[in-house]
Amino acid sequence: MKIRRWACLMVLLLWQVALTGQSDNNSTDSLAQALQNAGSPQERASALQSLVQANWSNERDQAKAYLQELEELSAQLQVDSITAFVRKQQALLLYQSGDYEGALSTFNQASQWYEKAGLPTPALQCRARAGIMYSIMGDYEQAEAIYRPALQQARQAKAPEAEVFLLSQMGTLFHYQGISDSAQHYYEVAIAHYQQSGDTLGMMRPMYNLAVLHSDAGRYENSVATYTAIYNYQMGQKSFEDAMITLEGLASANRQMGRLNEAADNLMEIYQLSNQLGDIRMKVQSLLGMSLLEGSRQQFDQSKGYLREALSLSRQVNNADQIMAAYYRMGQLYQEQAQYDSAAFFLQEGLAMQDTLNTQRYTLLFLLQLGQVYADAEKLEQAVQIAQRMAAFEPAAFDAQQLLSYYRLQGGISEAKGDYAGVVRYQTESFKDYLQNQLYGQAKKDALLLMAAHKALDQTDKALYYAETVHWLNDSIASRQDVELLAEQRKDFEFQLERQQIEAEQAKETAVLQARARQNSIVAIGGMLLAALGFGFFWYTRRQKQTIAGQNQQLQQLNETKDRLFAIIGHDLRKPAIAFRGIAKKVSFLLRKKDFATLEQLGEEIEKDAAGLSQLTENLLNWALTQRDVMPYQPTQLKLLPLLEDTATPFQTALQNKQLDLEWAVPEDSVVYSDANALSTIVRNLLDNAIKFTPEGGRITLAGTTEGQLLKLKVKDTGVGMPPEKLKELFLLKKGRTQPGTAGEKGSGLGLHLAHELSKLNQSSLGVNSHIGKGTIFTLSLPLKAT
């Protein structure tokens, strides 16, 4: 996890500090000619600066040669702006070699020289790059301490280029810390600034960061679209080094979406471009990516082959980050194959390699993985030794994810030792993290461990709490399974629709072929029967067309129903579910503020959204069952009034909120022959519709009267009513938005359609009568006895 995060940070910062001027071969040749024609040291220095910038992206070795000459010339000229430029480019080279502390110091020197030269914009940009070095070394507090005052100075100095550069860096800083909303805000503000100034090249920086943010948030389609736009621009500018960085992000997003072939193509393109440019670092990055990709395909031997090549190349250039990444990933691969001895070997080798590389940044990361390997191998003694080594570190040395991994390791060790207090101490934090991230399967495992631990410690109340939590998690997991069932139902529905379309096309082709065959037969018979047979053929063809037209109409209706259903699933079902995200943080915040009024209001909103989500989910499941003709139907003699009262009970809060009166006119001895679940669903949707479209202070009446062998159950309201043209299509699922209620209530349009379908299944009928401004009456005709 840490390696992936570190790699992401490296990619982001490389992009931000590596983007320099773009040029083509003609402009480079003209600059080289200007250098030859330079008549004074000042003119020569100016030409050298331009050549460094022009060659920086595509001809790095040549750019370094020009920079060396410029450094020697600047010592003679002693011009502050030239010295500052040389220091800035040297800092970029130090960064790319992995010497972040050296780059930090040199960026600060460049900033001071630019200030001395009276150039605030590049001075602030170099100061921001010093903040980037703090970020890459994990000191986010120090980075922010640089960015904020620098941003204020840029605004005061009216230096828009420095301001927008710092805005982008603020977004990156919050991004690294996982504060996504703030990161997205700064990125979008920076992009807007670049758009306004027409700086397309500059806009690529925050665009790239935004693509990474989309990917981190699981918005992979948005991420791929943004990466692709950046890549196309870079290839058009022949900025191949930057394009490789973008391809790396694009490959990651495609892999997350399961598009493994596209991801492999992206990585192979990086490999080929890095070969052409002689860029070993990016070549190693492509190999690490391909190893990860093949590992996800369970092609472990191929994955290890890529890692061995990556390890060999990274050792040639002594790139510490890539060497450690290769060792770490090799250990992971062997662990995934349950080859724990080999996994431990590579992780121990990586730990030992840190001394050679003069870095200790990865000690905790490797120790955590090594401890987990020993735990998986059931080598308790070695796992305890690793945990003891980690316990010697200060808590501040752990980032949030590392600390949770450490707790989980200690919790597993405590469980194996029968140390119940240790299980409670460590596993509680793990449980909270899984719960917050809605990883209910893992949270359930932790809850079961904590329940047993508290029980063993005679802490009955806490054991009971976790027992209740397990039940709640079971319900949550079951709800997710219901949603997954809906997704499967949708796929099945699409398949059935496609099959019907194919069958309709085949029927049409068959009809045409049969018509042509009959036409040929008629010609062969002779002139005497031509008129009679021609008439028969005309009649038959017309009937076939009518049949095909009917099939097309049915298919169109199926398409409209499908589109409406997917709109419900994609919007109405997703919207209340999204509303639940972040509830724990909101509640915690309000409790700290002791804002109980807002907390009570939030509780009412949650209850309202949960009730709506529950009803919509139940309607969707019932609708799917009716469409597949597998809806359970078990009619019995039912007492009507108790069923109606039970159905109306959940609506009491909604009735009170709108100050509506619910009146009853149903005889107590009313008995009908019906399926209880279907009837309850019908009445529930009719009541929900009546409440939605009745203004405050209105009245809703449930009335029942016997007419012959039927009981007429009427749901009457004093609501807004409906025009005649709407009544014609009231029970159909149609495209378009549904009408909001009198208090702005949202609806899916599925409830009345489902009520109509269930009434037919229930051997009853549902009718409607409505007048604008007077209200609506739904009449459900129910049989009194079995027929």
Side-chain angles (χ1 to χ4, degrees):
M1 185 72 180
K2 178 69 175 176
I3 286 287
R4 290 173 56 193
R5 180 182 174 196
W6 186 263
C8 173
L9 182 132
M10 289 286 291
V11 168
L12 285 170
L13 294 178
L14 179 62
W15 168 265
Q16 290 171 334
V17 299
L19 271 179
T20 54
Q22 309 288 325
S23 68
D24 54 26
N25 291 334
N26 292 333
S27 64
T28 305
D29 292 342
S30 64
L31 290 171
Q33 187 63 43
L35 179 64
Q36 291 181 357
N37 297 333
S40 67
Q42 289 81 2
E43 290 177 354
R44 188 169 185 82
S46 178
L48 284 169
Q49 280 184 268
S50 299
L51 282 166
V52 169
Q53 290 176 317
N55 288 278
W56 194 261
S57 292
N58 300 324
E59 298 291 341
R60 184 62 55 84
D61 290 339
Q62 184 63 57
K64 289 180 183 178
Y66 287 131
L67 183 63
Q68 178 65 35
E69 185 177 350
L70 181 61
E71 183 181 16
E72 296 170 357
L73 187 59
S74 68
Q76 301 174 14
L77 294 174
Q78 296 186 351
V79 176
D80 295 340
S81 61
I82 297 175
T83 303
F85 176 84
V86 171
R87 292 290 179 270
K88 181 189 73 173
Q89 300 304 125
Q90 288 174 337
L92 290 175
L93 291 173
L94 287 169
Y95 159 71
Q96 289 164 359
S97 70
D99 184 359
Y100 308 123
E101 292 184 356
L104 169 64
S105 174
T106 311
F107 275 130
N108 281 327
Q109 293 175 24
S111 177
Q112 292 168 3
W113 280 107
Y114 275 126
E115 286 178 353
K116 190 176 179 182
L119 298 171
T121 294
L124 289 167
Q125 289 175 333
C126 285
R127 197 180 309 168
R129 289 186 170 108
I132 293 174
M133 296 305 107
Y134 277 120
S135 291
I136 203 171
M137 291 187 290
D139 193 346
Y140 303 127
E141 185 176 342
Q142 187 63 43
E144 187 172 359
I146 289 178
Y147 292 151
R148 289 199 180 277
L151 183 59
Q152 187 65 27
Q153 290 176 24
R155 287 168 176 164
Q156 291 174 351
K158 296 182 179 180
E161 291 183 13
E163 179 183 354
V164 70
F165 184 80
L166 283 159
L167 285 169
S168 183
Q169 301 317 310
M170 285 292 291
T172 305
L173 178 65
F174 285 119
H175 187 170
Y176 297 158
Q177 297 177 83
I179 310 173
S180 300
D181 291 343
S182 297
Q184 184 168 346
H185 167 73
Y186 279 108
Y187 288 153
E188 290 175 347
V189 171
I191 290 169
H193 274 66
Y194 281 122
Q195 284 179 324
Q196 188 174 2
S197 64
D199 185 357
T200 305
L201 176 62
M203 188 172 67
M204 294 297 107
R205 290 191 291 266
M207 276 185 68
Y208 181 92
N209 295 349
L210 187 59
V212 176
L213 187 67
H214 283 318
S215 189
D216 290 345
R219 300 187 293 268
Y220 300 117
E221 289 286 359
N222 293 343
S223 180
V224 167
T226 307
Y227 278 132
T228 302
I230 298 169
Y231 166 77
N232 290 336
Y233 173 80
Q234 291 166 336
M235 293 301 288
Q237 296 293 314
K238 297 183 179 179
S239 182
F240 301 126
E241 290 189 349
D242 298 330
M244 287 191 294
I245 296 172
T246 304
L247 281 169
E248 191 174 13
L250 186 58
S252 177
N254 277 322
R255 183 175 61 82
Q256 292 291 344
M257 294 176 69
R259 300 174 179 172
L260 301 186
N261 291 334
E262 289 84 347
D265 291 341
N266 299 145
L267 293 168
M268 185 53 66
E269 187 172 358
I270 296 173
Y271 188 87
Q272 293 168 349
L273 284 171
S274 61
N275 258 340
Q276 295 173 12
L277 299 173
D279 189 335
I280 294 178
R281 191 189 67 82
M282 285 307 299
K283 188 174 182 179
V284 172
Q285 284 297 109
S286 69
L287 289 166
L288 291 172
M290 286 189 282
S291 168
L292 190 63
L293 187 66
E294 294 302 327
S296 66
R297 289 171 164 171
Q298 305 295 304
Q299 300 295 321
F300 296 116
D301 290 341
Q302 185 71 29
S303 180
K304 292 171 189 173
Y306 286 133
L307 283 177
R308 291 188 185 96
E309 184 179 356
L311 192 56
S312 174
L313 289 171
S314 58
R315 280 171 170 168
Q316 291 179 21
V317 294
N318 203 34
N319 189 307
D321 296 318
Q322 292 179 331
I323 291 171
M324 298 306 294
Y327 272 115
Y328 185 81
R329 181 59 188 148
M330 193 73 84
Q332 281 186 319
L333 278 176
Y334 279 111
Q335 184 182 9
E336 290 169 15
Q337 293 180 276
Q339 298 178 18
Y340 300 120
D341 290 342
S342 297
F345 169 80
F346 278 100
L347 292 169
Q348 289 167 345
E349 281 286 301
L351 284 168
M353 182 62 67
Q354 287 189 115
D355 295 332
T356 304
L357 298 173
N358 195 27
T359 179
Q360 297 297 319
R361 282 199 308 268
Y362 302 100
T363 301
L364 274 176
L365 181 68
F366 274 72
L367 285 175
L368 281 168
Q369 194 68 26
L370 185 58
Q372 193 58 57
V373 167
Y374 285 137
D376 290 347
E378 298 182 354
K379 295 183 177 181
L380 183 60
E381 183 178 347
Q382 289 91 328
V384 169
Q385 291 174 358
I386 295 297
Q388 289 172 346
R389 288 180 64 181
M390 286 187 287
F393 285 84
E394 293 292 332
F398 295 81
D399 65 24
Q401 287 302 317
Q402 287 178 335
L403 194 58
L404 284 168
S405 297
Y406 172 69
Y407 285 155
R408 285 168 186 146
L409 176 61
Q410 287 280 31
I413 292 172
S414 298
E415 181 194 8
K417 293 166 63 178
D419 178 7
Y420 300 113
V423 171
V424 171
R425 176 185 176 188
Y426 295 111
Q427 216 67 31
T428 301
E429 295 301 322
S430 173
F431 167 75
K432 290 177 181 178
D433 178 65
Y434 283 139
L435 199 62
Q436 182 179 356
N437 290 285
Q438 298 183 3
L439 300 172
Y440 294 147
Q442 293 93 323
K444 177 182 173 182
K445 293 178 182 178
D446 281 353
L448 288 168
L449 286 174
L450 289 166
M451 179 183 70
H454 283 297
K455 184 178 179 181
L457 295 170
D458 291 328
Q459 297 172 349
T460 308
D461 290 344
K462 292 183 178 180
L464 182 59
Y465 163 76
Y466 282 107
E468 292 172 349
T469 302
V470 169
H471 287 299
W472 177 82
L473 287 168
N474 283 331
D475 290 341
S476 299
I477 293 169
S479 296
R480 282 191 173 178
Q481 290 171 346
D482 287 341
V483 174
E484 291 172 359
L485 175 62
L486 277 175
E488 293 179 4
Q489 297 268 2
R490 183 189 69 179
K491 290 180 181 179
D492 183 63
F493 181 84
E494 288 178 332
F495 171 75
Q496 295 294 340
L497 180 61
E498 184 178 0
R499 188 180 69 178
Q500 290 178 23
Q501 289 173 334
I502 293 171
E503 289 175 353
E505 290 295 329
Q506 290 175 341
K508 184 176 179 180
E509 292 176 5
T510 301
V512 172
L513 290 173
Q514 290 175 349
R516 288 176 180 173
R518 286 173 174 75
Q519 186 178 13
N520 292 333
S521 299
I522 291 171
V523 173
I525 290 174
M528 292 182 63
L529 300 176
L530 183 60
L533 291 176
F535 176 77
F537 172 74
F538 171 77
W539 175 84
Y540 177 79
T541 304
R542 182 179 180 184
R543 186 170 180 179
Q544 286 295 109
K545 288 181 178 179
Q546 291 174 344
T547 301
I548 293 169
Q551 291 174 335
N552 286 336
Q553 185 177 5
Q554 291 176 353
L555 287 173
Q556 184 177 358
Q557 290 176 350
L558 282 171
N559 266 318
E560 291 179 354
T561 300
K562 178 203 72 173
D563 293 342
R564 181 59 186 155
L565 177 61
F566 292 168
I568 292 167
I569 294 173
H571 179 269
D572 298 328
L573 184 59
R574 182 172 177 263
K575 187 173 182 180
I578 290 175
F580 295 145
R581 293 172 60 183
I583 285 174
K585 289 184 178 178
K586 292 179 183 177
V587 171
S588 178
F589 174 75
L590 292 172
L591 285 173
R592 288 198 304 271
K593 287 184 65 181
K594 297 185 178 179
D595 188 352
F596 300 114
T598 305
L599 188 61
E600 183 177 359
Q601 182 181 356
L602 177 62
E604 291 174 357
E605 291 175 1
I606 293 170
E607 179 67 24
K608 180 180 176 182
D609 285 340
L613 181 60
S614 175
Q615 180 166 340
L616 180 55
T617 303
E618 185 171 349
N619 280 346
L620 284 168
L621 288 171
N622 286 335
W623 182 89
L625 292 172
T626 61
Q627 296 302 299
R628 299 184 68 189
D629 294 328
V630 293
M631 182 72 178
Y633 176 58
Q634 298 174 342
T636 58
Q637 294 295 133
L638 297 173
K639 287 187 178 182
L640 183 59
L641 187 57
L643 183 141
L644 296 178
E645 290 174 341
D646 290 343
T647 304
T649 297
F651 292 100
Q652 293 305 312
T653 301
L655 289 166
Q656 292 172 5
N657 289 340
K658 297 186 75 173
Q659 299 178 4
L660 301 178
D661 290 330
L662 179 60
E663 297 183 352
W664 297 85
V666 179
E668 291 186 8
D669 59 350
S670 298
V671 177
V672 296
Y673 183 74
S674 178
D675 178 87
N677 289 330
L679 180 56
S680 178
T681 301
I682 295 169
V683 174
R684 185 178 67 248
N685 281 291
L686 295 179
L687 272 176
D688 180 67
N689 184 76
I691 293 171
K692 187 182 302 178
F693 293 105
T694 302
E696 288 188 4
R699 183 176 65 259
I700 299 170
T701 304
L702 285 173
T705 57
T706 302
E707 296 181 13
Q709 297 300 312
L710 297 174
L711 185 141
K712 301 277 190 175
L713 176 62
K714 295 186 178 183
V715 181
K716 300 186 288 186
D717 64 59
T718 59
V720 296
M722 292 176 281
E725 59 271 15
K726 186 170 183 179
L727 294 178
K728 296 178 182 179
E729 298 181 343
L730 184 62
F731 298 126
L732 299 178
L733 278 176
K734 289 288 186 179
K735 290 182 180 178
R737 297 181 180 272
T738 59
Q739 181 179 347
T742 57
E745 299 100 327
K746 304 294 184 179
S748 64
L750 181 61
L752 291 180
H753 172 77
L754 177 61
H756 186 255
E757 292 291 312
L758 289 177
S759 67
K760 292 188 291 184
L761 176 67
N762 214 26
Q763 298 181 8
S764 55
S765 62
L766 181 62
V768 60
N769 186 20
S770 184
H771 297 283
I772 295 291
K774 294 183 179 180
T776 301
I777 302 175
F778 285 93
T779 303
L780 182 64
S781 299
L782 297 163
L784 297 174
K785 297 180 180 180
T787 55

